[in-house]
């Protein structure tokens, strides 16, 4: 592997609800419940490693916000399952207002079941992205292909 080569892996897991649960992003979550899936709700991870195997994980979750439980419970699970230090794991929400909620899962058994499944998927997507790493180059700046005009 040349010094300018990275290894990059990717994994995406759909985590659609299987039962009605409250949606987030509305002023009164108790009134709006998930009824059907119009677009998949997912957890996605990209793993990037340099030539010395220094690795970062970038995890995106289709949630309105990041619940503290993700940092308190799920982040340590990802670190343990992947061997990547917590300081090298980035988790961000896509901030969708149409996703099922995981906040306050203690108030609704269906939400607790969904949150547990979603959190398991976060860990699995990180593990699978790490396993998926392949050599990849990286470039910066612009690229123009004269043949295609793009």
């Amino acid at each position: 592997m040349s010094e300018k080569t990275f290894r990059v892996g990717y994994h995406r897991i759909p985590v659609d609800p299987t039962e009605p649960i409250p949606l987030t992003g509305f002023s009164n979550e108790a009134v709006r419940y998930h009824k059907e899936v119009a677009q998949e709700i997912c957890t996605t991870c990209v793993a990037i490693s340099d030539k010395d195997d220094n690795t970062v994980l970038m995890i995106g979750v289709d949630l309105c916000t990041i619940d503290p439980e993700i940092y308190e419970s799920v982040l340590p699970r990802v670190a343990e399952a992947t061997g990547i230090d917590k300081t090298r794991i980035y988790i961000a929400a896509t901030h969708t207002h149409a996703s099922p909620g995981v906040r306050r899962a203690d108030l609704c058994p269906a939400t607790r079941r969904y949150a547990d499944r979603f959190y398991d998927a976060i860990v699995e997507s990180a593990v699978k992205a790490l396993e998926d790493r392949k050599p990849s180059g990286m470039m910066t700046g612009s690229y123009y292909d004269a043949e295609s005009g793009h």
Side-chain angles (χ1 to χ4, degrees):
M1 189 178 323
S2 75
E3 288 190 9
K4 294 183 180 179
T5 301
F6 291 82
R7 287 182 298 138
V8 178
Y10 169 87
H11 197 76
R12 179 175 181 257
I13 300 175
V15 194
D16 295 327
T18 56
E19 59 188 314
I21 61 173
L23 297 175
T24 59
F26 300 96
S27 60
N28 188 352
E29 293 177 21
V31 174
R32 304 242 354 190
Y33 279 81
H34 154 266
K35 294 178 185 172
E36 63 183 303
V37 176
Q39 184 175 346
E40 285 183 329
I41 302 296
C42 297
T43 176
T44 306
C45 182
V46 174
I48 303 173
S49 302
D50 68 9
K51 65 180 178 59
D52 297 321
D53 211 29
N54 295 306
T55 302
V56 295
L57 300 175
M58 296 182 291
I59 302 169
V61 293
D62 287 335
L63 298 172
C64 186
T65 60
I66 298 292
D67 185 71
E69 187 174 17
I70 289 177
Y71 293 114
E72 296 163 4
S73 171
V74 181
L75 183 60
R77 287 178 52 204
V78 171
E80 182 178 343
T82 62
I84 306 298
D85 188 271
K86 290 188 295 186
T87 61
R88 293 181 172 267
I89 302 170
Y90 174 77
I91 302 176
T94 59
H95 193 78
T96 176
H97 282 251
S99 70
V102 295
R103 287 182 49 236
R104 307 296 312 264
D106 56 318
L107 299 179
C108 174
T111 300
R112 176 76 271 154
R113 287 188 292 276
Y114 180 72
D116 290 343
R117 207 164 49 87
F118 202 106
Y119 297 159
D120 289 345
I122 292 171
V123 176
E124 183 182 351
S125 70
V127 169
K128 298 286 187 178
L130 204 57
E131 292 171 355
D132 182 60
R133 290 175 297 167
K134 297 171 185 66
S136 176
M138 186 176 284
M139 61 184 251
T140 60
S142 299
Y143 174 77
Y144 176 77
D145 180 3
E147 188 173 316
S148 69
H150 294 99

